[in-house]
Amino acid sequence: WTVVERRGHAALYAGVHSLGQSWETIHIGWTGPIRVKGTKKTIPPHEMTDEDKSALQKLLWETGHIVPIFLDNKSHGHYEGYCKEVLWPLFHYVVWSDSTNGQAEKKNWADYVAVNRQFADTIIKTYRQGDTICIHDYHLLLVPEMLRASIPDAPVGLFFHATFPSSEIFRCLTSKEPFIYLFIYFVQDYLTAQFINHYPTILCIARNEILQGMLGANLVGFQTYSYARHFISSSTRVLGCESTQVGVNSNGQIVSVGAFPIGIDVERVHTFRQQPGVEPKMNAIRDMYAGKKIIIGRDKLDSTKGVLQKLHAFEKFLAIYPEWRNKVVLIQVATPTFGDHSKLETKVSETVSHINGLFGSLEFTPVHYYHQDIDRDEYYALLSVADAGLITCVRDGMNTTSFEYIICQHKTHSPLILSEFAGTAGSLSAAILVNPWDYAGVAKALNDALIMSPEEKLSRHGQLYKHVTNHTASFWAHSFVKGLVSCTEEQSLQSHSTPALNVDALKSTYIGSKKRLMFFDYDGTLTPIVSLPSDAKPSNDMLTSLRVLCQNPLNVVWIISGRDQATLDEWIGSKVDNIGLSAEHGCYIKPPGAEKWTSIVSNVDMSWKQDVAEIFEYYTERTQGSMVEYKKSSITWHYRNADATYGAFQAKECQNHLENAIVSKLPVEILVGKKNLEVRPMAINKGEIVKRILSQNPDADMVICAGDDKTDEDMFRMLSNIHQQTFPGSAPVSPHDPPSRSSSFSLLPPQSPLLPEKAVSLFSITVGPPEKKTMANWHVDSSSEVV
């Protein structure tokens, strides 16, 4: 046996290989076709004998800790079928135009699932406790969720190397059960309104499963921020997940989403371009085009790579800049790739002939087109002799050719013309960025590149070279793995069942303390959730309990609520003396004994409220049973009394509308509550108010904090973060700690600016089931238990 690396994945291989410097690495992958040495014959892996498989497994493990997967005949439906015919076009904004009977898609989807299952089973078999799992690209999008079902505590990262489209494109992904289309076609006139509301969900099983599969990971990485944003948007719109600035809340589990631009192995490229065979080929190319400026293009022959657009732009260049005729040549190498691209190849060949016939002669040919693979020496020779590099992809995940071009141009500094739709465009701002559909714009960029002064060339190249050499494949791989480890540690604080409140420990700590700080949410914590917010008036038992607590001079009691000031004054402030009130999630406070409210947001721009109000009113008009609640610093849309299914659907649409129109432009955030959406200033939350009150009570030695929803997690998170920052080397206090540990701990050290005097006992209590994901260290089942 001879083992060689597959061509075309050098950046990925280099990144994975570099991880061996810091970790023990195991590489699990499909063997691909196995070639008989000295011939073009290949053996399908599933036809190999057990003896051959065993020998190959041993060799691969000894070669580089590689675990091979021998896929059966389902590999064709998986790779050539679903991956290349469905996912690849969709992710690159190519929506299908050919109608089919759906049978091929159905079989290919089944093969896609089966191959993902085979990968997952192999990973589970290989996994050891403490391992970190990294999964690569769109071929294995279902694997994270499959792993989560069997090894729920394993750190799983998924890196998506291709582009990820906007949610409008992703939602075009078809069903895995095509016959439903025919059923609806014949009976749609007879369907009830209720069924019509449900059948879009039936049609979207495949896209839902793909998103849910991806959300099984702890961290999902993308090449650029825009791809990450599109994924979050798709999760919000298709699955109805709650999104944050840094991830997606899927079934109570925060899945981190980030951008990790890949790089190349710079040293390897330097080595290859200095090979003995490169220099003679460079000289041969220069001699062949002596006295001519050379523009280089090297792409796969794929509609997403923009070869046809490049040729049209070059034709435009020769038309509007006649002074360059007979002085410039375009050398375009189009590498054959998977699939039937005969139509594109015909169009490209016809366009090349058209340009050469229009602007060429017997002595001169402006376009030299090669539809073939070229060897490595020729490739680096082309990149090195170019007077300009031209990359006009209409959609590309990253495009590492641009990085290799920059390394090869370290002596001559020829400029790079790069499509703004390449993933690298966001990193290579010193390149000349172009829209490949704007032929005149590309033509101007070519002219600018060819007449650019040496000083500007050097300046631009210096910026590009610095980025490429600093952000290598090794840097990418280590960044992604470190990010995965970091977010997994953070998520582990919320990954276990929360123990029931130890009332005896609470009582004994209370009796032994000398000053207690108490923070209580209102709705869902002191009172149960009701259909109409105006009906959640305080019970006599609750008011009596609050009065008893507030009469004790050792207690400082606060109600930290999302309610407005007038409601809190009427329901609590007028009936309980010496109690602190915080309204609208911390935007307004009224300390114990105070007569007036203090605004925390007096200097915060509230001009966004009108835009949000218009959006909420729009959805209120179209969602029977919904209503808008106006507060001084926030606006809430309630849909508790709307139809459950339709209300949830409208809430998803409204959330997406807000994210696109408001959140992406202004410093506000959306809180997805229990049957409501609330928009508030980003910098103000309950956690900040708790932090403020802590700093004002440095002699407190006990903190009780109770809440039930996401807004209350800000309080729990603040208290947890204070502990983590105070004692970075200590074991984190988390729900899975034994009750003796989590009932009381040192919250702040003597030098802390918040509570400088002594250690503090903390009881953070959430209202809900034990499996609820929370930063609190205790739980109770209902608001009546809090009272």
Side-chain angles (χ1 to χ4, degrees):
W1 296 101
T2 302
V3 179
V4 295
E5 284 186 354
R6 181 182 174 189
R7 292 186 63 183
H9 297 272
L12 172 59
Y13 292 148
V16 171
H17 180 72
S18 71
L19 293 173
Q21 302 167 8
S22 306
W23 290 278
E24 177 189 354
T25 59
I26 297 174
H27 190 169
I28 298 174
W30 174 36
T31 60
I34 297 172
R35 189 177 301 278
V36 178
K37 195 170 185 178
T39 72
K40 294 184 178 182
K41 180 183 177 182
T42 60
I43 305 172
H46 62 277
E47 294 182 5
M48 294 176 63
T49 65
D50 291 341
E51 182 181 357
D52 282 341
K53 287 183 179 179
S54 179
L56 188 54
Q57 286 172 329
K58 183 174 183 295
L59 173 64
L60 288 171
W61 182 259
E62 294 172 350
T63 300
H65 278 200
I66 300 169
V67 177
I69 293 180
F70 300 98
L71 294 181
D72 55 22
N73 53 9
K74 296 183 185 300
S75 64
H76 179 81
H78 166 267
Y79 186 77
E80 288 88 351
Y82 203 77
C83 288
K84 290 301 183 183
E85 293 180 2
V86 177
L87 294 182
W88 173 265
L90 180 81
F91 290 150
H92 289 79
Y93 289 75
V94 180
V95 181
W96 315 275
S97 57
D98 297 331
S99 60
T100 70
N101 61 9
Q103 294 305 310
E105 289 87 341
K106 184 177 180 180
K107 180 185 182 303
N108 291 341
W109 168 256
D111 290 345
Y112 184 81
V113 175
V115 169
N116 275 254
R117 169 52 61 189
Q118 192 167 344
F119 266 86
D121 290 343
T122 304
I123 294 170
I124 293 167
K125 183 179 178 180
T126 309
Y127 176 79
R128 298 170 300 178
Q129 187 65 34
D131 286 351
T132 298
I133 302 170
C134 296
I135 300 162
H136 288 275
D137 224 359
Y138 64 95
H139 314 83
L140 302 173
L141 298 181
L142 305 181
V143 172
E145 186 181 37
M146 293 175 175
L147 295 178
R148 190 64 61 212
S150 298
I151 41 177
D153 296 331
V156 178
L158 170 66
F159 191 83
F160 198 94
H161 289 263
T163 61
F164 197 93
S166 66
S167 60
E168 286 75 14
I169 296 295
F170 182 81
R171 290 163 73 187
C172 296
L173 189 58
T174 54
S175 166
K176 70 175 185 182
E177 300 292 351
F179 69 88
I180 296 176
Y181 284 99
L182 302 178
F183 170 72
I184 290 174
Y185 177 81
F186 288 114
V187 304
Q188 61 183 346
D189 292 338
Y190 307 101
L191 295 175
T192 64
Q194 182 177 6
F195 185 79
I196 288 175
N197 284 337
H198 286 284
Y199 83 71
T201 304
I202 299 174
L203 294 179
C204 304
I205 298 174
R207 70 187 189 189
N208 286 17
E209 289 195 10
I210 284 175
L211 287 177
Q212 288 166 349
M214 297 176 71
L215 291 172
N218 299 91
L219 172 66
V220 183
F222 293 90
Q223 300 280 16
T224 71
Y225 171 72
S226 63
Y227 304 159
R229 179 166 48 82
H230 289 161
F231 171 69
I232 293 175
S233 176
S234 294
S235 300
T236 300
R237 298 202 65 181
V238 175
L239 297 182
C241 295
E242 178 184 343
S243 64
T244 68
Q245 296 290 333
V246 294
V248 177
N249 187 333
S250 175
N251 298 320
Q253 177 70 43
I254 299 297
V255 179
S256 298
V257 180
F260 302 87
I262 200 171
I264 60 172
D265 186 344
V266 173
E267 294 303 320
R268 180 172 175 150
V269 175
H270 272 306
T271 300
F272 284 159
R273 76 183 187 90
Q274 293 170 0
Q275 291 294 306
V278 175
E279 187 68 30
K281 287 182 170 59
M282 291 172 58
N283 293 332
I285 296 171
R286 290 193 184 103
D287 292 341
M288 187 181 304
Y289 305 106
K292 305 290 191 299
K293 295 288 187 180
I294 301 173
I295 301 170
I296 294 297
R298 189 264 193 175
D299 311 271
K300 293 180 180 178
L301 187 63
D302 185 291
S303 59
T304 65
K305 302 304 180 182
V307 175
L308 201 57
Q309 287 78 8
K310 182 186 302 186
L311 294 171
H312 288 314
F314 186 68
E315 179 184 357
K316 191 74 171 179
F317 165 73
L318 295 177
I320 62 179
Y321 296 100
E323 64 272 20
W324 285 112
R325 296 174 189 174
N326 300 321
K327 297 179 182 179
V328 175
V329 295
L330 169 64
I331 303 176
Q332 175 63 49
V333 178
T335 306
T337 187
F338 170 81
D340 181 11
H341 299 286
S342 56
K343 293 181 179 179
L344 177 61
E345 162 65 8
T346 300
K347 289 182 180 179
V348 168
S349 298
E350 290 175 351
T351 305
V352 170
S353 299
H354 169 72
I355 296 172
N356 288 338
L358 191 62
F359 298 104
S361 63
L362 293 176
E363 296 84 15
F364 176 70
T365 303
V367 180
H368 294 254
Y369 172 67
Y370 303 95
H371 181 211
Q372 64 187 59
D373 284 314
I374 59 174
D375 65 34
R376 191 173 64 203
D377 289 348
E378 288 177 328
Y379 172 59
Y380 286 109
L382 278 174
L383 297 185
S384 300
V385 301
D387 294 291
L390 183 58
I391 297 173
T392 56
C393 50
V394 296
R395 194 71 57 181
D396 207 348
M398 203 59 182
N399 195 293
T400 54
T401 300
S402 57
F403 292 154
E404 293 173 319
Y405 175 82
I406 291 165
I407 298 300
C408 291
Q409 288 292 327
H410 194 44
K411 290 183 178 179
T412 53
H413 313 143
S414 296
L416 171 66
I417 303 170
L418 180 63
S419 167
E420 63 186 52
F421 300 117
T424 50
S427 305
L428 304 180
S429 57
I432 304 175
L433 300 182
V434 296
N435 176 357
W437 300 100
D438 179 8
Y439 301 151
V442 178
K444 181 180 183 302
L446 283 170
N447 182 66
D448 292 343
L450 296 176
I451 64 173
M452 188 178 293
S453 67
E455 294 77 17
E456 185 178 354
K457 287 182 182 180
L458 179 61
S459 174
R460 285 177 177 267
H461 178 79
Q463 297 177 52
L464 297 173
Y465 188 81
K466 181 179 179 181
H467 173 84
V468 174
T469 53
N470 287 341
H471 297 80
T472 61
S474 175
F475 177 85
W476 160 75
H478 282 77
S479 297
F480 182 68
V481 173
K482 288 178 180 177
L484 173 58
V485 171
S486 176
C487 76
T488 303
E489 290 175 351
E490 182 178 339
Q491 292 164 8
S492 67
L493 295 176
Q494 308 177 50
S495 62
H496 296 266
S497 295
T498 309
L501 175 63
N502 188 331
V503 179
D504 292 335
L506 176 66
K507 285 177 62 178
S508 63
T509 305
Y510 179 90
I511 292 171
S513 61
K514 296 182 178 179
K515 183 172 182 179
R516 309 123 184 167
L517 272 176
M518 304 183 191
F519 306 103
F520 299 105
D521 170 48
Y522 185 79
D523 291 280
T525 303
L526 296 179
T527 63
I529 296 293
V530 295
S531 297
L532 288 176
S534 58
D535 290 342
K537 295 181 179 179
S539 66
N540 290 330
D541 287 344
M542 186 256 279
L543 292 174
T544 301
S545 299
L546 287 177
R547 291 189 189 105
V548 172
L549 289 177
C550 292
Q551 287 168 3
N552 190 326
L554 301 183
N555 296 337
V556 178
V557 183
W558 280 81
I559 304 296
I560 314 289
S561 175
R563 293 278 182 174
D564 59 57
Q565 303 158 65
T567 301
L568 290 180
D569 272 335
E570 178 185 353
W571 288 357
I572 306 291
S574 62
K575 299 176 181 179
V576 182
D577 296 330
N578 202 35
I579 190 169
L581 301 175
S582 172
E584 302 189 23
H585 302 297
C587 292
Y588 300 92
I589 60 173
K590 188 178 182 181
E595 295 293 329
K596 296 183 179 180
W597 288 87
T598 301
S599 173
I600 305 298
V601 293
S602 55
N603 296 324
V604 176
D605 181 13
M606 294 292 179
S607 59
W608 52 268
K609 291 180 67 177
Q610 180 61 35
D611 294 335
V612 173
E614 290 178 0
I615 293 174
F616 277 164
E617 291 291 350
Y618 174 87
Y619 285 93
T620 300
E621 292 172 3
R622 290 156 178 80
T623 311
Q624 187 176 6
S626 65
M627 57 170 286
V628 181
E629 180 184 4
Y630 295 93
K631 304 173 186 177
K632 291 186 178 179
S633 62
S634 62
I635 306 178
T636 305
W637 184 62
H638 297 271
Y639 58 94
R640 181 169 299 278
N641 293 325
D643 173 79
T645 302
Y646 186 63
F649 170 76
Q650 287 291 76
K652 296 174 192 175
E653 295 296 310
C654 182
Q655 181 183 351
N656 187 70
H657 192 162
L658 289 168
E659 288 175 343
N660 290 332
I662 305 295
V663 176
S664 61
K665 303 173 185 176
L666 298 170
V668 297
E669 62 180 343
I670 303 171
L671 297 182
V672 181
K674 296 175 179 177
K675 302 292 184 180
N676 66 67
L677 297 175
E678 179 166 351
V679 180
R680 69 176 186 186
M682 184 177 293
I684 306 298
N685 58 59
K686 292 183 178 183
E688 293 299 318
I689 291 303
V690 166
K691 184 177 180 181
R692 173 192 283 254
I693 297 170
L694 283 172
S695 67
Q696 295 169 354
N697 294 271
D699 53 342
D701 59 358
M702 181 181 187
V703 174
I704 300 174
C705 182
D708 73 305
D709 65 10
K710 181 187 173 182
T711 62
D712 304 310
E713 290 297 319
D714 292 331
M715 297 192 290
F716 303 147
R717 186 176 294 104
M718 176 61 68
L719 294 169
S720 176
N721 287 344
I722 291 173
H723 175 260
Q724 290 298 309
Q725 294 167 10
T726 302
F727 300 106
S730 65
V733 178
S734 61
H736 61 276
D737 289 325
S740 60
R741 282 190 63 192
S742 59
S743 61
S744 176
F745 63 86
S746 182
L747 180 64
L748 295 164
Q751 70 271 24
S752 168
L754 295 183
L755 293 167
E757 298 297 328
K758 59 189 72 178
V760 177
S761 298
L762 170 67
F763 287 83
S764 56
I765 307 162
T766 189
V767 180
E771 62 271 13
K772 175 182 178 181
K773 304 301 182 182
T774 179
M775 294 292 286
N777 50 12
W778 300 105
H779 93 277
V780 295
D781 292 327
S782 65
S783 60
S784 61
E785 290 189 52
V786 178
V787 174

